[in-house]
């Protein structure tokens, strides 16, 4: 008989993850990620902050409609209008949760909210009561709990549990805590709050000191039974606790943890790749679990040891976290049915036969250039098509580059922009530089290029290159992505995608402001 308690995995990639500068996702991208999280058997998916913008509302609504197995959660400040918006967005969810929060640290109460502790407590209680009108699954977070007074936290937590909160989430909002102290805080709260047995204690740790996972695990050792985390550790500033690290630590060290998760770990690597591809936040090669080198042994001594017995240097098996998912799935001779079936298995569906036909034509085009098509190629193909469809203001019509030893590279670009087609030629220090200069001479965006990166989607020189471009203008940061077997074309696509976003008006509210 299994005597272990359950550790609830609450994924906030679609909410806190999206707060990483430039990581915004479209509604359809959020649905694709949510479906991957559901396949991974994540317990709760925080899909967004519905009051932030109409786009956020629609995304939460779409995720609520699409996901059936996981609980879908929406974030709301402790304000009636936020909670009403979250309740409305979640109406069609099979299982919904409203997550409401208000800051409890002296600095946040005084400087940000300008409220007294008693006013904060009252607002928290009212918010939880209001949220209970929509669902009996209400989570409350005292924001910046990691810097709050413990006595005050105890008062607030007791009151919100009485008001109907079933989950109490303790955020280390600014990533200030260290493991021993954070673990003690959780144990203390559970021991001191008289009605703590009526709620699940959760933690939400940020990674400013690189301690988000360590703090979360210390909390679990001290009674927390929900961890809030994100794929690849994405999130505000230095990010949140990484889901893959948290889950694999608990799973690998079952000798020390008194609980276990329900996660299907084989979905970790495919989901990590999907999130990296969609957000443009590439995973560093030495990142635990999901980095390209996480299971690669370079030193001869290690290689020799692993060949004799893998446990000499490996504490986990690469295939257990989904590393063998990188298999050839389709090729040049695959038919429309095989294509449709594989996409369906990846939860990619098309609204019409026409869209499927277009995607199939793109697939054939790719298969002509690249013999083996992997799942990652299919994901990139669909992401790339979605991105191109999103490009409202500027579209790439044609690109010709000329690069020769001893000569300055030249790029001839034709863009659709401002209702007409324009062709220009520019030179640059390399073909990508020449292409960006040509594009800029038409668009005149005045945006500053902050980041340019290229990643091979799969192995081999025929791999598609996935390019991320980050632009900044007037304090606003956006990421653009593009994929192609030709990296100059991929770069042009990524630059144009970022320019479309930076030109687009409209801003969204931020939960912490
Ligand atoms: O970091 C934080 O405090 C948050 C809350 C909204 C839970 O993201
Ligand atoms: Zn956060």
């Amino acid at each position: 008989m299994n005597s272990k308690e359950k550790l609830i995995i609450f994924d906030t990639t679609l909410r806190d993850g999206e707060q990483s500068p430039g990581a915004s996702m479209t509604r359809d991208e959020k649905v694709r990620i949510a479906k991957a999280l559901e396949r991974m058997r994540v317990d709760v998916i925080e899909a967004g902050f519905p009051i932030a913008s109409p786009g956020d509302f629609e995304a939460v609504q779409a995720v609520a409609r699409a996901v059936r197995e996981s609980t879908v959660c929406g974030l709301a400040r402790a304000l009636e209008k936020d909670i009403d918006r979250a309740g409305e967005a979640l109406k069609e969810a099979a299982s919904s949760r409203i997550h409401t929060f208000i800051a409890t640290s002296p600095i946040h109460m005084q400087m940000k909210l300008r409220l007294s502790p008693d006013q904060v407590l009252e607002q928290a209680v009212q918010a939880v009561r209001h949220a209970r009108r929509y669902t009996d699954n209400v989570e409350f977070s005292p924001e910046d709990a990691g810097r709050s007074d413990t006595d005050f936290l105890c008062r607030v937590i007791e009151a919100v549990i009485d008001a109907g909160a079933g989950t109490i989430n303790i955020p280390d909002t600014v990533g200030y805590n260290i493991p021993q102290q954070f673990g003690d805080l959780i144990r203390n709260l559970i021991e001191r709050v008289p009605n703590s047995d009526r709620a699940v204690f959760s933690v939400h740790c940020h990674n400013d000191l690189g301690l988000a996972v360590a703090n979360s695990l210390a909390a679990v050792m001290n009674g927390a039974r929900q961890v809030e985390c994100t794929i690849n550790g994405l999130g505000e500033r230095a990010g949140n606790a990484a889901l893959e690290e948290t889950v694999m630590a608990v799973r690998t060290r079952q000798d020390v943890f008194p609980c276990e998760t329900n996660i299907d770990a084989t979905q970790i690597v495919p989901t990590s790749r999907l999130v990296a591809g969609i957000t443009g936040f590439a995973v560093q090669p030495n990142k635990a679990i999901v980095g390209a080198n996480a299971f690669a042994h370079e030193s001869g001594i290690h290689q020799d040891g692993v060949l004799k017995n893998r446990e000499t240097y490996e504490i986990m098996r690469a295939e257990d976290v989904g590393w063998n998912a990188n298999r050839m799935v389709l090729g040049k001779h695959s038919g429309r049915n095989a294509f449709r079936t594989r996409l369906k298995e990846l939860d990619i569906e098309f609204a019409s036969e026409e869209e499927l036909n277009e995607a199939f034509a793109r697939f054939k085009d790719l298969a002509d250039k690249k013999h083996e098509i992997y799942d990652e190629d299919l994901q990139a193909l669909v992401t790339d098509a979605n991105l191109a469809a999103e490009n409202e203001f500027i579209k790439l019509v044609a690109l010709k580059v000329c690069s020769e030893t001893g000569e300055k590279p030249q790029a001839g670009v034709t863009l659709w922009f401002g209702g007409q087609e324009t062709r220009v030629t520019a030179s640059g220090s390399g073909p990508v530089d020449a292409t960006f200069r040509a594009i800029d001479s038409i668009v005149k965006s005045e945006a500053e290029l902050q980041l340019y990166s290229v990643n091979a989607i799969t192995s081999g020189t025929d791999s598609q290159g996935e390019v991320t471009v980050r632009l900044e203008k007037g304090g606003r940061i956006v990421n653009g992505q593009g994929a192609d077997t030709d990296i100059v074309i991929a770069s042009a696509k990524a630059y144009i995608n970022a320019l479309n976003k930076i030109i687009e008006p409209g801003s969204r509210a931020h939960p912490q402001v």
Side-chain angles (χ1 to χ4, degrees):
M1 205 182 77
N2 190 349
S3 59
K4 293 244 169 168
E5 285 180 50
K6 178 168 177 193
L7 177 64
I8 298 167
I9 296 297
F10 175 116
D11 180 278
T12 182
T13 307
L14 303 179
R15 198 278 296 171
D16 217 320
E18 205 195 20
Q19 285 170 221
S20 313
S24 67
M25 300 163 227
T26 65
R27 185 194 58 194
D28 292 350
E29 288 167 347
K30 281 195 167 189
V31 171
R32 277 171 67 201
I33 294 176
K35 294 294 285 178
L37 295 171
E38 182 182 34
R39 242 190 331 264
M40 199 196 280
R41 299 203 296 260
V42 159
D43 301 289
V44 186
I45 299 172
E46 189 165 52
F49 178 42
I51 194 100
S53 71
D56 277 55
F57 178 88
E58 281 168 25
V60 175
Q61 195 173 46
V63 171
R65 284 182 184 140
V67 167
R68 298 287 95 184
E69 302 297 327
S70 312
T71 295
V72 180
C73 175
L75 183 70
R77 289 167 299 185
L79 297 171
E80 280 198 6
K81 61 174 182 179
D82 282 38
I83 294 164
D84 292 340
R85 206 71 184 130
E88 179 66 26
L90 293 166
K91 228 164 45 188
E92 292 176 54
S95 161
S96 69
R97 173 182 293 186
I98 293 180
H99 175 191
T100 186
F101 73 99
I102 188 165
T104 49
S105 63
I107 183 166
H108 277 232
M109 290 191 290
Q110 281 160 27
M111 312 302 289
K112 185 178 88 171
L113 300 174
R114 298 190 198 285
L115 292 175
S116 69
D118 285 343
Q119 286 171 316
V120 164
L121 189 146
E122 182 54 27
Q123 200 171 317
V125 167
Q126 291 308 335
V128 170
R129 283 204 187 117
H130 193 67
R132 282 295 301 251
R133 291 190 189 175
Y134 291 95
T135 169
D136 56 11
N137 190 344
V138 174
E139 169 170 330
F140 173 78
S141 290
E143 190 194 2
D144 204 15
R147 292 188 300 171
S148 300
D149 173 66
T150 308
D151 291 344
F152 181 53
L153 274 180
C154 288
R155 277 179 61 210
V156 174
I157 293 169
E158 182 181 356
V160 293
I161 294 176
D162 275 341
T167 303
I168 300 297
N169 178 47
I170 306 299
D172 181 18
T173 303
V174 291
Y176 178 70
N177 285 231
I178 55 171
Q180 169 99 47
Q181 170 211 357
F182 196 61
D184 287 349
L185 171 66
I186 302 302
R187 199 188 52 249
N188 239 310
L189 293 174
I190 295 174
E191 279 172 7
R192 288 182 50 193
V193 171
N195 51 5
S196 64
D197 58 326
R198 281 165 37 203
V200 172
F201 277 69
S202 164
V203 288
H204 174 112
C205 297
H206 278 273
N207 206 29
D208 299 68
L209 293 173
L211 294 171
V213 172
N215 284 338
S216 304
L217 296 177
V220 171
M221 295 300 284
N222 283 281
R225 287 295 174 265
Q226 174 177 286
V227 172
E228 301 200 353
C229 45
T230 57
I231 302 292
N232 300 339
L234 212 63
E236 182 89 31
R237 304 183 311 280
N240 289 63
L243 178 147
E244 59 278 8
E245 294 174 22
T246 308
V247 165
M248 289 314 290
V250 171
R251 180 176 155 147
T252 307
R253 296 307 308 272
Q254 277 291 292
D255 55 329
V256 291
F257 286 102
C259 50
E260 60 193 359
T261 75
N262 192 34
I263 294 293
D264 174 359
T266 60
Q267 297 298 322
I268 285 179
V269 169
T271 309
S272 159
R273 292 194 160 186
L274 178 67
V275 170
I278 285 178
T279 59
F281 278 60
V283 173
Q284 78 202 49
N286 59 331
K287 164 85 178 62
I289 321 289
V290 292
N293 289 353
F295 292 89
H297 297 277
E298 168 66 18
S299 110
I301 298 175
H302 287 207
Q303 285 171 356
D304 181 53
V306 170
L307 286 174
K308 287 177 178 145
N309 180 337
R310 65 192 298 168
E311 284 175 23
T312 50
Y313 287 100
E314 279 187 6
I315 57 166
M316 296 166 276
R317 298 187 319 165
E319 53 271 37
D320 289 349
V321 295
W323 269 108
N324 60 352
N326 192 359
R327 62 198 162 94
M328 207 265 275
V329 286
L330 297 170
K332 195 178 158 109
H333 302 293
S334 306
R336 228 163 133 275
N337 251 343
F339 176 69
R340 187 210 297 261
T341 307
R342 188 60 200 151
L343 287 183
K344 208 156 184 254
E345 282 163 9
L346 295 170
D347 276 319
I348 300 172
E349 296 199 35
F350 295 96
S352 64
E353 272 310 280
E354 198 188 331
E355 272 189 25
L356 172 70
N357 290 342
E358 280 171 19
F360 186 60
R362 285 195 304 275
F363 158 73
K364 281 288 182 188
D365 209 34
L366 180 64
D368 264 345
K369 299 181 198 152
K370 185 176 188 294
H371 298 306
E372 297 169 331
I373 307 286
Y374 297 87
D375 284 346
E376 290 80 355
D377 289 310
L378 295 178
Q379 301 271 21
L381 192 102
V382 175
T383 302
D384 198 54
N386 289 345
L387 291 171
E390 258 173 44
N391 290 347
E392 256 187 86
F393 307 101
I394 315 162
K395 293 183 203 297
L396 179 67
V397 179
L399 170 64
K400 182 176 175 183
V401 285
C402 184
S403 205
E404 200 180 336
T405 39
E407 296 293 326
K408 217 168 176 195
Q410 298 265 336
V413 173
T414 309
L415 286 191
W416 184 89
F417 176 57
Q420 63 181 48
E421 272 188 24
T422 311
R423 183 184 148 78
V424 294
T425 307
S427 56
S429 60
V432 173
D433 187 44
T435 304
F436 284 17
R437 282 174 191 274
I439 294 171
D440 229 24
S441 72
I442 302 174
V443 179
K444 300 187 177 44
S445 69
E446 289 171 13
E448 194 188 317
L449 181 70
Q450 287 200 331
L451 175 136
Y452 167 78
S453 80
V454 190
N455 270 297
I457 291 179
T458 53
S459 52
T461 50
D462 67 348
S463 165
Q464 292 193 82
E466 194 169 42
V467 175
T468 302
V469 162
R470 184 175 303 159
L471 296 180
E472 191 268 340
K473 189 178 174 184
R476 200 164 150 240
I477 296 174
V478 298
N479 278 345
Q481 286 106 255
D484 203 285
T485 46
D486 180 324
I487 58 162
V488 185
I489 297 178
S491 304
K493 287 180 178 176
Y495 193 45
I496 288 169
N497 182 238
L499 286 171
N500 272 289
K501 290 183 185 167
I502 211 125
I503 284 176
E504 189 183 31
S507 61
R508 41 214 289 275
H510 187 289
Q512 263 105 7
V513 179

